[in-house]
Amino acid sequence: MSKNTVTTETATSGIGPVEGASLYDVDHPAPLIEAPRKRTKKTPKSTRGNFEMYGWLFMRLSGVVLVVLVIGHLLIQLVLDGGVSKIGFAFVAGRWASPFWQVWDLLMLWLAMLHGANGLRTVINDYAERANTRLWLKGLLYTATVFTILLGTLVIFTFDPNIR
Amino acid sequence: MATPTLDKADGAGAPEAGFADSPYITATFRIRRFNSEVSAEAVWEDFQLEIDPKERVLDALHKIKWDQDGTLTFRRSCAHGICGSDAMRINGKNRLACKTLIKDLSPEKPITVEPIKGLTVLKDLVVDMEPFFQAYRDVMPFLITKDTNEPTRERLQTAEDRERFDDTTKCILCAACTSSCPVFWNDGQYFGPAAIVNAHRFIFDSRDEAGEQRLEILNDKDGVWRCRTTFNCTDACPRGIEVTKAIQEVKRALITRRF
């Protein structure tokens, strides 16, 4: 066991004698970072709704449907029948003449926007630490989502192939 | 009459013969140190020591504390992987210092030792575990039954019923999983894997009758739905609990009770 003795210590750190007078000592310790999950008056009441569960389920279900919708969309738009070069006003007008493609695009728009918005909502919850940052980011996100969904829906329903 | 083991050891003579090539190596331990009475900043400090690579990180910490720097502060109780006191971040991964052999850490490079993340560091490797235990208490980790009478006999269950939650009974509350979870790192409001594991242990216990209440608690905004299945917790668990699987089972129970 005597061979187990310690060799040298290389103190490369700033701990030890601090240059000048230290700001902190036994009676005046440095402030600690506030502990998480501390119960204060500002702690919001726990929310026992099912919103998060439905959100979680929606992500799984819409994801499965979107795989079909988006891959089908990409194939039609970019690969089959001449690819991207065929796309023009006439091509869109021709497809939206059929209620099937109207429903397809409408479904894709709503599911993709809600799926993406919910995903970003969880990203904001996970990464934004301050309540104010969260509020603003989510406000921006919801505004953009509602605007895009409404505008897209309006276009699909009021599309006029005879417009000049 | 010598015992066979002694005879064998004498016959082989390996430890004595190998005197020239000592089993000890020189390893550098780079330890994250914080002392609020000296500085507001945590700093890395290097310690060099000669140590048998078959020893554990905890032995190295002991050697440093006993022989080099008595101010080094860390928690340990049983030192055999049961009490869950010495979870720390070793080479960037949460482990128990008492279950990590130095030879498994590529000791030719400096071995970094940090306190577990996401909890307030009090000194050196000691963190404030209170938020962790707060989440643990919140899921009511004790048997709850509806009948209020004193039981007159043992509460029996079948071997299969016991097997159902066997994995999650192994938790030692070391916080390696919770403090490896990136969702917990953010604001610490997420219940964390350990609390969910301990809720799982009672939710799936056939003798317990408050599973519904516990599911309702974990249905919270900061409950199981914040889990992103990154599997950090499963990787970190020194007891080999399939933590992420347990969380997913709680999610499934929440969904199947609705539909």
Side-chain angles (χ1 to χ4, degrees):
Chain A
M1 287 308 284
S2 60
K3 274 179 58 47
N4 256 0
T5 48
V6 166
T7 53
T8 50
E9 174 188 339
T10 49
T12 56
S13 73
I15 279 205
V18 180
E19 285 176 36
S22 172
L23 286 169
Y24 308 104
D25 59 34
V26 179
D27 296 322
H28 308 93
L32 298 175
I33 299 160
E34 194 186 331
R37 220 181 170 79
K38 192 173 260 182
R39 296 290 151 81
T40 61
K41 287 201 179 76
K42 279 200 285 181
T43 307
K45 278 261 182 283
S46 65
T47 49
R48 299 274 164 81
N50 286 315
F51 179 75
E52 292 294 334
M53 182 184 76
Y54 289 125
W56 189 88
L57 258 185
F58 171 77
M59 292 305 271
R60 270 78 201 159
L61 299 176
S62 63
V64 172
V65 179
L66 277 169
V67 167
V68 178
L69 290 178
V70 171
I71 290 181
H73 178 81
L74 288 177
L75 275 177
I76 293 165
Q77 301 282 316
L78 306 177
V79 181
L80 301 176
D81 214 10
V84 73
S85 59
K86 69 173 185 289
I87 296 177
F89 187 83
F91 178 77
V92 176
R95 276 184 77 203
W96 277 354
S98 148
F100 175 79
W101 293 115
Q102 277 190 329
V103 170
W104 181 298
D105 280 1
L106 193 70
L107 204 60
M108 193 166 66
L109 170 76
W110 276 71
L111 288 183
M113 282 309 294
L114 292 178
H115 185 98
N118 193 36
L120 276 175
R121 183 183 68 90
T122 58
V123 169
I124 292 169
N125 279 342
D126 283 355
Y127 283 93
E129 285 178 38
R130 281 181 308 201
N132 249 342
T133 320
R134 282 184 181 186
L135 184 79
W136 280 102
L137 285 177
K138 282 195 214 171
L140 193 68
L141 172 70
Y142 296 155
T143 313
T145 309
V146 169
F147 177 76
T148 313
I149 288 180
L150 288 184
L151 189 67
T153 310
L154 185 77
V155 169
I156 290 176
F157 278 122
T158 62
F159 179 72
D160 179 7
N162 302 316
I163 199 166
R164 297 183 175 269
Chain B
M1 187 177 147
T3 61
T5 43
L6 267 178
D7 278 343
K8 200 178 171 191
D10 286 341
E16 283 75 18
F19 198 77
D21 48 324
S22 151
Y24 299 110
I25 56 160
T26 305
T28 305
F29 284 82
R30 186 161 290 169
I31 299 175
R32 189 81 173 153
R33 304 207 57 186
F34 172 71
N35 183 354
S36 67
E37 291 170 1
V38 173
S39 166
E41 301 293 322
V43 288
W44 293 102
E45 187 168 7
D46 282 8
F47 295 92
Q48 270 187 1
L49 61 158
E50 288 200 357
I51 194 159
D52 186 336
K54 292 190 291 298
E55 291 208 82
R56 307 160 300 169
V57 172
L58 184 65
D59 300 315
L61 292 175
H62 277 150
K63 279 190 172 48
I64 293 166
K65 184 173 176 69
W66 294 338
D67 301 340
Q68 295 192 25
D69 185 348
T71 66
L72 178 68
T73 308
F74 55 92
R75 284 197 183 104
R76 69 101 174 81
S77 295
C78 77
H80 290 82
I82 289 299
C83 71
S85 299
D86 63 351
M88 46 191 79
R89 200 170 157 86
I90 299 164
N91 274 2
K93 189 169 177 282
N94 282 4
R95 318 171 208 237
L96 294 183
C98 58
K99 283 184 81 174
T100 309
L101 298 186
I102 289 162
K103 70 181 177 62
D104 298 333
L105 293 168
S106 49
E108 57 280 0
K109 282 176 284 185
I111 295 165
T112 63
V113 183
E114 299 163 74
I116 47 179
K117 296 200 347 164
L119 294 160
T120 301
V121 179
L122 299 178
K123 192 183 178 200
D124 294 346
L125 303 173
V126 174
V127 297
D128 179 8
M129 296 279 278
E130 185 48 33
F132 172 80
F133 288 122
Q134 176 72 59
Y136 174 60
R137 284 192 295 266
D138 282 347
V139 300
M140 304 187 293
F142 38 79
L143 184 85
I144 300 173
T145 57
K146 290 201 176 84
D147 89 273
T148 49
N149 298 325
E150 283 281 303
T152 51
R153 62 187 191 91
E154 197 181 343
R155 297 175 204 275
L156 297 174
Q157 75 183 153
T158 63
E160 294 79 59
D161 281 346
R162 176 62 179 73
E163 191 58 37
R164 180 67 192 84
F165 60 92
D166 184 67
D167 200 35
T168 44
T169 60
K170 295 187 275 184
C171 178
I172 56 173
L173 293 172
C174 66
C177 57
T178 294
S179 60
S180 74
C181 175
V183 179
F184 184 79
W185 290 339
N186 175 23
D187 58 1
Q189 296 302 305
Y190 175 44
F191 273 85
I196 299 171
V197 156
N198 285 281
H200 177 285
R201 183 247 171 277
F202 285 99
I203 289 168
F204 293 95
D205 187 339
S206 60
R207 298 165 294 187
D208 186 85
E209 290 167 1
E212 190 69 19
Q213 266 172 279
R214 293 196 184 85
L215 284 175
E216 202 50 54
I217 290 165
L218 292 178
N219 200 18
D220 187 280
K221 174 164 69 67
D222 293 306
V224 287
W225 307 114
R226 285 200 79 178
C227 169
R228 305 274 170 266
T229 52
T230 56
F231 283 89
N232 279 19
C233 47
T234 303
D235 289 342
C237 182
R239 306 281 296 159
I241 301 173
E242 294 178 285
V243 184
T244 314
K245 186 182 171 197
I247 299 173
Q248 293 302 95
E249 284 176 354
V250 173
K251 284 182 191 170
R252 184 182 297 164
L254 270 164
I255 287 171
T256 49
R257 93 189 163 135
R258 289 277 157 200
F259 302 102

